[in-house]
Amino acid sequence: MTEKKELHLPDHIKEKMFMVRNKAWYEEEYADCKSIRGRFHQYFVHGYLLDCSPWKRDADNCERWTKNQDRDSLEELIDSETKRREERLKPFTENEVWEPRTSPPGNWNSPLPEWMVEEYKTSYLGIKASEFKDLIADKGTSLCNIM
C-alpha cells in the first residue's frame, strides 16, 4: 500500500490554492485561445491576437504540480491566477464613475408596487412558481437537504 507523502506548504500558498483549476480547464482555455473562432473573437474585440502561451504554461505547471507535487510549479500557477484575477477586476477597482456602497439603501426590502405584483401573477415565472409551491405542498416536503 502506498502512503501519501505529507506536503508542508506555507500558509500564503495554502490560502490561495483555491485559485488552482483542473488541468483540463487550462488545456481547454488554451485550445479555445488558439482556435479560429477564438482568434476571430480576439481580433474583433481587441484589434489584435492575444498571446495564448500563458494558458499552455499554466497547463504544464498544473500537470507538474499534480504528478510530481512540484512546489515551484504550484507557486507559478498561483501567481498566474493572481495576475489574471487582478486584470479581470481592474475595471471594477479603478472605477471612478460609481461610488461603492457601504450599506444597502434604506428601502431595499420595501414591498413591490401593486401593479408589479399583479403582473407577476400572470407571468410565466409567476405561474411556474405557483405550480412549484403546489407540488411541494402536495408532497409535504421541503427543499432543504441536510447531508
Side-chain angles (χ1 to χ4, degrees), residues 54-88:
W55 290 114
K56 179 68 172 154
R57 189 171 48 251
D58 287 348
D60 294 342
N61 282 329
C62 188
E63 183 172 8
R64 281 192 297 273
W65 162 245
T66 306
K67 287 187 177 180
N68 307 328
Q69 303 298 308
D70 183 15
R71 194 163 145 183
D72 292 336
S73 295
L74 175 63
E75 289 181 19
E76 190 175 335
L77 193 55
I78 289 174
D79 288 343
S80 175
E81 286 293 342
T82 302
K83 288 176 190 166
R84 194 172 286 129
R85 184 178 189 202
E86 287 171 359
E87 193 66 31
R88 189 180 73 243

Side-chain angles (χ1 to χ4, degrees), residues 80-142:
S80 175
E81 286 293 342
T82 302
K83 288 176 190 166
R84 194 172 286 129
R85 184 178 189 202
E86 287 171 359
E87 193 66 31
R88 189 180 73 243
L89 293 175
K90 190 184 287 187
F92 175 75
T93 57
E94 294 179 357
N95 176 20
E96 296 178 2
V97 175
W98 300 101
E99 185 176 322
R101 288 186 181 154
T102 56
S103 62
N107 64 346
W108 71 271
N109 62 347
S110 60
L112 294 173
E114 188 60 36
W115 66 268
M116 194 178 284
V117 173
E118 290 301 319
E119 201 171 280
Y120 174 75
K121 288 178 183 175
T122 58
S123 71
Y124 180 76
L125 184 61
I127 293 168
K128 289 298 176 184
S130 175
E131 289 174 4
F132 190 68
K133 285 178 187 174
D134 294 342
L135 180 69
I136 296 300
D138 290 344
K139 290 186 176 183
T141 61
S142 76

Side-chain angles (χ1 to χ4, degrees), residues 22-32 55-56 59 63:
N22 191 320
K23 179 182 177 245
W25 184 281
Y26 296 112
E27 290 173 341
E28 185 177 328
E29 288 287 349
Y30 178 67
D32 185 49
W55 290 114
K56 179 68 172 154
E63 183 172 8

